[in-house]
Amino acid sequence: MNTPISLFCSFFKLKSLTFGLSLISVLVVSACSKEPEEKTRTHNEPIEKAQIIESQEQRLDRILSEQSDELKARYSWRHPKETIDFFGLQPGMSVVEVLPGGGWYSQILAPYLGQEGRLIGADYSAAIWPFFDWASEEFIAKRKEWPQKWSSDVSTWAVSDAPQAIGTNLGAMGPYYDGQIDAVLFIRALHNMHKLKPEQSFYDDALALSFRLLKPGGVVGVVQHQAPADKSLAWANGSRGYMNKEQLIQDFEKAGFVKLAESKINENPADQPEDDDNVWRLPPSFYSSANDEALKQAYSDIGESNRMTLLFKKPK
């Protein structure tokens, strides 16, 4: 369809062929060769929406909303959003999660870290299991298979945005990772190693390894069953699941870390263990009330354990 501007252009092109190219015709022809400008939007036309970029908070909220009902049932006790925010974790980071087990936190961390991130699941050192009287030969054999299984599972937990996933154990992490990690997480993972002190060095070795792995300025996030202040250090040695907060802080400072902060987000004042209690009486384990519904209900009313939440930093 011939528009006024196209006829105008054709006229000047013809004139330039007939009479020669003048300065004015050059300018006009050049203007005619350009694409027509986009027409002015009328008031009745919708404004094209700008691409919405998902914020870090929106990303975490979305991921938490997509988890299974079984996993969500623990949110009110484990506060994953608040805990991840407190630790300062961000998409794209390299994170070591110690003792991920069945992957309760891994299922959240994997899609949150995303394709630019790296999630390393580090089981206990293989040498630790024979020191636990409950660790059968069958159990120990399965632990050898765990790293590969966990790595495979990560891809199902972050189908479209999986990070680099590496399953390993603390005893197998050589110098290759030194100075590469942004954060190391000990989420209810310290007590089993601590209870073997001073006969075995697994606990001290884990702290030293964490320091070595972290970049300068990298952090360690700890969520650990917290012993009441009136319990002795012997009672709170980890064998009951509980640890003394001040002693734990001293241990990390001795390993070279600086304490940055602590939070009350995972505290539960209703958890007041007696001298013969352990943490596994409470949900989700209910270890000591499997056949006693009334006792199980009483423990359910208490909720999950009282937990300290601490943040340490490797100095720059």
Side-chain angles (χ1 to χ4, degrees), residues 56-119:
Q56 184 173 310
E57 182 177 9
Q58 289 171 331
R59 178 187 183 94
L60 183 54
D61 286 341
R62 173 181 57 79
I63 290 166
L64 291 171
S65 71
E66 293 171 350
Q67 300 305 314
S68 68
D69 290 342
E70 181 181 5
L71 195 147
K72 288 178 181 177
R74 307 257 67 85
Y75 284 2
S76 60
W77 300 111
R78 300 185 177 183
H79 310 99
K81 180 178 180 178
E82 296 83 355
T83 302
I84 288 172
D85 286 344
F86 177 71
F87 291 157
L89 304 183
Q90 299 178 10
M93 278 187 168
S94 291
V95 176
V96 173
E97 183 187 357
V98 178
L99 197 67
W104 194 93
Y105 251 103
S106 304
Q107 294 178 64
I108 300 169
L109 291 172
Y112 180 64
L113 296 176
Q115 293 180 2
E116 300 303 315
R118 176 167 53 178
L119 182 59

Side-chain angles (χ1 to χ4, degrees), residues 101-102 142 144-155 157 167:
K142 286 184 177 180
K144 295 178 181 179
E145 301 171 359
W146 178 88
Q148 183 176 355
K149 181 181 184 304
W150 181 87
S151 299
S152 177
D153 286 343
V154 168
S155 63
W157 298 331

Side-chain angles (χ1 to χ4, degrees), residues 27-234:
L27 295 174
V28 174
V29 171
S30 176
C32 293
S33 67
K34 295 180 180 178
E35 292 291 332
E37 293 183 3
E38 184 179 356
K39 65 179 180 178
T40 304
R41 183 181 62 83
T42 67
H43 292 292
N44 294 326
E45 292 175 330
I47 300 175
E48 184 179 354
K49 292 182 179 179
Q51 183 180 5
I52 299 175
I53 300 176
E54 190 178 44
S55 71
Q56 184 173 310
E57 182 177 9
Q58 289 171 331
R59 178 187 183 94
L60 183 54
D61 286 341
R62 173 181 57 79
I63 290 166
L64 291 171
S65 71
E66 293 171 350
Q67 300 305 314
S68 68
D69 290 342
E70 181 181 5
L71 195 147
K72 288 178 181 177
R74 307 257 67 85
Y75 284 2
S76 60
W77 300 111
R78 300 185 177 183
H79 310 99
K81 180 178 180 178
E82 296 83 355
T83 302
I84 288 172
D85 286 344
F86 177 71
F87 291 157
L89 304 183
Q90 299 178 10
M93 278 187 168
S94 291
V95 176
V96 173
E97 183 187 357
V98 178
L99 197 67
W104 194 93
Y105 251 103
S106 304
Q107 294 178 64
I108 300 169
L109 291 172
Y112 180 64
L113 296 176
Q115 293 180 2
E116 300 303 315
R118 176 167 53 178
L119 182 59
I120 301 174
D123 198 9
Y124 286 155
S125 297
I128 199 173
W129 300 116
F131 291 97
F132 301 130
D133 54 11
W134 47 263
S136 65
E137 292 183 5
E138 181 182 2
F139 175 88
I140 294 174
K142 286 184 177 180
R143 299 319 295 178
K144 295 178 181 179
E145 301 171 359
W146 178 88
Q148 183 176 355
K149 181 181 184 304
W150 181 87
S151 299
S152 177
D153 286 343
V154 168
S155 63
T156 68
W157 298 331
V159 177
S160 61
D161 200 16
Q164 179 186 7
I166 303 166
T168 184
N169 65 64
L170 294 175
M173 298 189 72
Y176 175 79
Y177 298 104
D178 288 3
Q180 295 189 33
I181 305 302
D182 295 295
V184 177
L185 306 180
F186 289 97
I187 301 178
R188 306 181 305 279
L190 288 167
H191 52 276
N192 280 322
M193 293 185 290
H194 188 270
K195 73 179 184 180
L196 296 176
K197 290 187 66 174
E199 291 81 8
Q200 302 297 326
S201 64
F202 297 109
Y203 176 78
D204 291 334
D205 290 346
L207 270 56
L209 174 63
S210 300
F211 192 89
R212 199 184 78 206
L213 294 175
L214 287 171
K215 301 173 181 177
V219 299
V220 174
V222 174
V223 178
Q224 180 58 49
H225 313 292
Q226 181 175 337
D230 62 349
K231 299 297 183 185
S232 68
L233 293 179

